[in-house]
Amino acid sequence: MAPADPRILVTTSRMPFAVDEIHKLGETGRFVVATDTFRAAPGNHSRGASKHRIVPAPAQEPRAFVDTIATIIDEEQINWLLPMFEDVFYLARHREQLAADRDIELFFPDLDTLRLVHDKVSFTQLCKQLDLPVAETITATDKDELRTALGHWDHWFARAAFGRGGLDVATNTGPLAGEISPEDIEPTAENPWLVQEFLKGVDRCSWSVVHHGEVVLHSCYEHPLAIDNRGGMIFRSVDSPESLETAQRIARELNWHGQLSFDYLMTEDGVHHMVECNPRPTAGCTVATAEELDTALFAPGELVVVPAGRKRMIRAAVIRDALMHPSHARADRDAARGALGVYEQRKDHLPLLYSALSLQHVWAYRKQLGIDRDKGETLVATQFFDVLYDGSPIP
């Protein structure tokens, strides 16, 4: 049961959906502490954040990260922990430490459940067990298996089991064709790759708030524009009973508790083929209202489905695309028409400024850690390298 007066700790506040949820929680009068690994994280500077704190990088310093979160919980009397990205794995690994002698709502599942849906191999198996549509898949654990799998189809698409954000993908078809050579892929038993037939269709995504297996708030959206053909820049809500049924089926099967998101490939026949699960919020939250989010989190009742036609955008990314690709300018303008900004909202414009300032800080941080950002790494990759989870054991 939600506390009568929730005091919320939000992690990885740099993410656009984190900025959005922080703003909305503040709009409904909630006490929010926003955290991230660097000071310029946009969500830390939202008017929705009552306070902000800096934490160690979970991917590089997992124990220090969890210890700092525990300290913040005690110092700020936090009773609701709301992860925004793959830091959730590090928090779940030390769930007992965070819950010990505390009256706190940890709004995320246990580590085993998170790993089940995060690993694309086990997630694909789960979808098959639940009779959910998924493209025919071959799993490769070494280079020989990869070569054999790639020869199975004329047009193929390959992904790392723990890749995210459109990273670690290879294909011989579509806008990403040839970006990664199969010769550069090194599948292993610990880090396999999935190879599937390349399907043509429309990318769709969904986001849900789930309490103990029941979806209470759901949205499905498309992204007419994508950053470097990967993460979306514009989010437009659509009607999709198929995505709702899928979310509810998986949520009930796993008794999910937390935020839950899926990616689909909708083919011409309307079938929503399962692509992957993101066990945390995604941009679908941006098309929900503050009241819808607040109610779903703290006073859930009947199911609410976000109606079609709402639109949000990451304005700086749209402008960047138009400047880098002048031929896109008219299409970018048309796609963005009527969309409200995620980083700039009414009386809350500092996140937009810090969305630009944060890039410089993240690049500097990568250099400090000795990571070469010239090895074909994308803007998407620079955003969350220190909060990713690659499936490795967490100390």
Side-chain angles (χ1 to χ4, degrees):
M1 180 177 293
D5 183 22
R7 295 175 65 86
I8 307 152
L9 178 59
V10 172
T11 58
T12 313
S13 72
R14 78 191 72 171
M15 306 306 293
F17 33 86
V19 173
D20 183 77
E21 291 200 7
I22 290 167
H23 173 85
K24 287 171 177 170
L25 291 168
E27 191 176 335
T28 54
R30 303 303 185 181
F31 176 88
V32 178
V33 178
T35 69
D36 210 315
T37 64
F38 58 98
R39 295 189 182 281
N44 282 10
H45 302 277
S46 169
R47 288 175 61 91
S50 308
K51 294 184 177 181
H52 63 265
R53 301 283 290 269
I54 310 303
V55 298
Q60 286 77 35
E61 303 176 82
R63 292 305 299 266
F65 167 70
V66 173
D67 289 345
T68 302
I69 291 294
T71 297
I72 295 172
I73 289 172
D74 292 337
E75 292 179 350
E76 300 295 347
Q77 299 179 305
I78 297 298
N79 54 26
W80 193 284
L81 182 53
L82 198 62
M84 287 290 149
F85 202 62
E86 293 184 8
D87 50 275
V88 67
F89 290 92
Y90 304 92
L91 297 171
R93 166 65 178 83
H94 296 282
R95 189 183 187 95
E96 292 184 3
Q97 174 186 341
L98 295 171
D101 301 319
R102 297 183 178 96
D103 183 15
I104 184 170
E105 172 66 61
L106 303 178
F107 200 57
F108 51 89
D110 60 71
L111 183 59
D112 288 343
T113 302
L114 290 168
R115 281 184 57 92
L116 173 66
V117 299
H118 181 68
D119 180 343
K120 293 184 181 68
V121 175
S122 56
F123 176 66
T124 298
Q125 294 169 347
L126 174 66
C127 291
K128 292 179 178 179
Q129 293 169 10
L130 296 178
D131 294 323
L132 294 170
V134 61
E136 183 183 354
T137 303
I138 299 174
T139 301
T141 59
D142 58 40
K143 293 186 80 70
D144 288 339
E145 290 181 352
L146 179 66
R147 289 192 201 96
T148 301
L150 296 180
H152 196 74
W153 297 282
D154 291 334
H155 303 282
W156 50 262
F157 187 82
R159 300 173 292 151
F162 295 101
R164 277 300 181 271
L167 308 175
D168 298 318
V169 300
T171 181
N172 66 350
T173 308
L176 298 179
E179 283 200 4
I180 295 180
S181 168
E183 296 303 316
D184 295 330
I185 300 173
E186 299 284 347
T188 65
E190 294 75 22
N191 293 287
W193 277 63
L194 289 77
V195 182
Q196 298 174 318
E197 180 182 12
F198 185 94
L199 298 178
K200 294 182 179 180
V202 177
D203 292 326
R204 282 189 166 181
C205 307
S206 72
W207 160 81
S208 305
V209 177
V210 186
H211 285 267
H212 305 291
E214 289 298 318
V215 174
V216 297
L217 177 59
H218 179 81
S219 73
C220 186
Y221 63 100
E222 297 176 359
H223 35 84
L225 292 177
I227 301 173
D228 300 330
N229 295 306
R230 291 178 170 87
M233 294 185 282
I234 297 177
F235 319 110
R236 181 182 61 217
S237 62
V238 297
D239 288 324
S240 176
E242 297 85 356
S243 71
L244 174 59
E245 197 278 334
T246 293
Q248 191 67 83
R249 191 183 302 186
I250 292 178
R252 288 172 177 163
E253 174 70 18
L254 301 179
N255 194 30
W256 194 271
H257 189 63
Q259 301 188 71
L260 179 62
S261 305
F262 298 104
D263 291 351
Y264 315 85
L265 193 286
M266 185 184 70
T267 47
E268 287 184 353
D269 55 6
V271 175
H272 287 51
H273 297 268
M274 304 303 298
V275 176
E276 68 180 37
C277 174
N278 290 301
R280 38 84 177 175
T282 52
C285 69
T286 67
V287 294
T289 67
E291 292 73 18
E292 288 167 345
L293 175 65
D294 191 86
T295 299
L297 289 174
F298 308 120
E302 295 184 359
L303 168 68
V304 174
V305 178
V306 173
R310 297 181 185 176
K311 190 187 291 188
R312 303 296 294 273
M313 68 173 165
I314 302 176
R315 193 182 306 276
V318 175
I319 295 172
R320 169 186 175 271
D321 188 68
L323 292 175
M324 292 184 64
H325 309 285
S327 62
H328 296 184
R330 177 173 294 181
D332 289 354
R333 182 193 61 202
D334 292 343
R337 185 175 291 115
L340 300 174
V342 172
Y343 283 99
E344 75 283 5
Q345 302 196 46
R346 186 172 178 270
K347 297 182 180 181
D348 194 7
H349 298 285
L350 280 181
L352 178 61
L353 171 63
Y354 280 93
S355 68
L357 296 177
S358 66
L359 290 179
Q360 183 177 2
H361 190 100
V362 172
W363 286 331
Y365 196 8
R366 292 178 67 80
K367 184 177 181 180
Q368 178 183 339
L369 292 177
I371 299 173
D372 184 0
R373 65 182 177 92
D374 293 324
K375 293 182 178 179
E377 298 180 16
T378 67
L379 176 64
V380 175
T382 68
Q383 290 295 308
F384 45 64
F385 75 100
D386 54 341
V387 289
L388 283 173
Y389 174 60
D390 63 2
S392 302
I394 301 173

